[in-house]
């Protein structure tokens, strides 16, 4: 069962499952983040937007934190870092972006995993946990995700977490410097899903 609580009185979540904890990043996470992203660069770049030259600098990380805080304050996006509960090691990250209220009540899910932590089912567990938060705490109706058609690992995460494939979007996102087609997935609040 996922335990969901708020930090202090703000809306930033902490999502806890059996093996992982997701929480908003803080400045003291910089060293772990910089090391994990740096050593995973070749593993991550085929699936991500082009990294700016200063991407791993302390100043760029500080600017990220400011942007994340603004997005959370405006209820348009939430970035969480994924940590192992056993050792507190940074494993990766999850982002809920494009939060839309009103008649839509939806968001988009994105995630990344450090190379040395991939393939252990930790991201699937994290996505299942974040789904509980999205549907039961944020009260959204729909969570969407997209991945490159040949990203078998990401497709497996989404399917195991309870997402349904909805189709192909041509040149949907600019990934690693090129506009790329993506498979679109979604999960609805009413869909059956596995609990973390």
């Amino acid at each position: 069962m996922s335990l969901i609580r708020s930090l202090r009185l703000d809306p930033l979540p902490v999502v806890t499952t059996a093996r992982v904890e997701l929480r908003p990043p803080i400045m003291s996470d910089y060293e772990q983040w910089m090391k994990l992203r740096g050593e995973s660069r070749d593993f991550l770049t085929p699936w991500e937007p082009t990294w700016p030259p200063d991407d791993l600098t302390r100043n760029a990380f500080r600017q990220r934190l400011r942007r994340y805080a603004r997005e959370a304050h405006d209820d348009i996006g939430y970035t969480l870092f994924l940590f192992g509960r056993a050792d507190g090691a940074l494993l990766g990250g999850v982002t809920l972006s494009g939060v839309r209220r009103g008649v839509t009540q939806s968001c988009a899910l994105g995630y990344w995993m450090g190379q040395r932590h991939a393939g252990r089912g930790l991201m699937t567990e994290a996505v299942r946990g974040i789904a509980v938060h999205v549907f039961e705490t944020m009260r959204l109706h729909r969570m969407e995700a997209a991945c490159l058609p040949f990203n078998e690992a990401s497709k497996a995460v989404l399917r195991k977490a309870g997402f349904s494939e909805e189709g192909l979007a041509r040149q949907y996102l600019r990934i690693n410097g090129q506009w790329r087609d993506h498979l679109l997935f979604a999960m609805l609040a009413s869909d059956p899903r596995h609990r973390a």
Side-chain angles (χ1 to χ4, degrees):
M1 179 88 176
S2 178
L3 304 173
I4 301 170
R5 64 188 188 277
S6 292
L7 293 174
R8 298 177 300 280
L9 298 176
D10 58 29
L12 301 177
V14 172
V15 177
T16 306
T17 69
R19 296 185 295 163
V20 302
E21 179 176 277
L22 294 103
R23 65 155 173 81
I26 55 177
M27 197 64 209
S28 61
D29 295 326
Y30 169 71
E31 293 295 334
Q32 275 199 85
W33 174 86
M34 181 267 300
K35 182 178 179 186
L36 185 62
R37 294 282 295 178
E39 71 186 32
S40 302
R41 186 178 193 124
D42 292 342
F43 176 72
L44 295 171
T45 52
W47 321 111
E48 295 187 352
T50 303
W51 291 23
D54 69 341
D55 195 56
L56 297 181
T57 65
R58 186 176 298 276
N59 188 52
F61 186 77
R62 188 176 288 110
Q63 290 175 14
R64 281 175 183 269
L65 295 185
R66 288 185 188 126
R67 185 178 76 245
Y68 299 158
R70 280 193 307 272
E71 290 170 352
H73 178 267
D74 295 340
D75 190 34
I76 59 172
Y78 298 90
T79 296
L80 305 172
F81 278 6
L82 173 62
F83 295 90
R85 289 188 66 192
D87 60 5
L90 178 64
L91 309 172
V94 173
T95 302
L96 301 174
S97 62
V99 176
R100 292 171 288 174
R101 298 293 183 171
V103 297
T104 304
Q105 295 294 330
S106 68
C107 70
L109 171 72
Y111 46 83
W112 66 274
M113 179 67 81
Q115 184 172 10
R116 64 182 142 116
H117 305 296
R120 296 168 37 203
L122 296 167
M123 187 54 74
T124 300
E125 185 174 320
V127 171
R128 288 175 177 164
I130 207 69
V132 174
H133 177 74
V134 164
F135 297 122
E136 296 182 10
T137 301
M138 294 177 71
R139 297 287 187 208
L140 296 181
H141 170 70
R142 178 181 172 89
M143 180 167 49
E144 302 169 351
C147 69
L148 292 165
F150 53 87
N151 189 341
E152 299 302 326
S154 193
K155 288 191 291 187
V157 164
L158 294 171
R159 288 178 177 137
K160 287 177 186 174
F163 281 77
S164 297
E165 187 175 329
E166 294 191 329
L168 180 73
R170 296 179 305 135
Q171 298 187 14
Y172 185 67
L173 295 173
R174 190 169 173 84
I175 299 297
N176 200 18
Q178 297 180 357
W179 288 104
R180 306 299 296 268
D181 296 349
H182 279 67
L183 291 176
L184 302 181
F185 290 79
M187 182 190 294
L188 305 180
S190 56
D191 286 346
R193 62 185 183 274
H194 304 284
R195 291 211 174 250

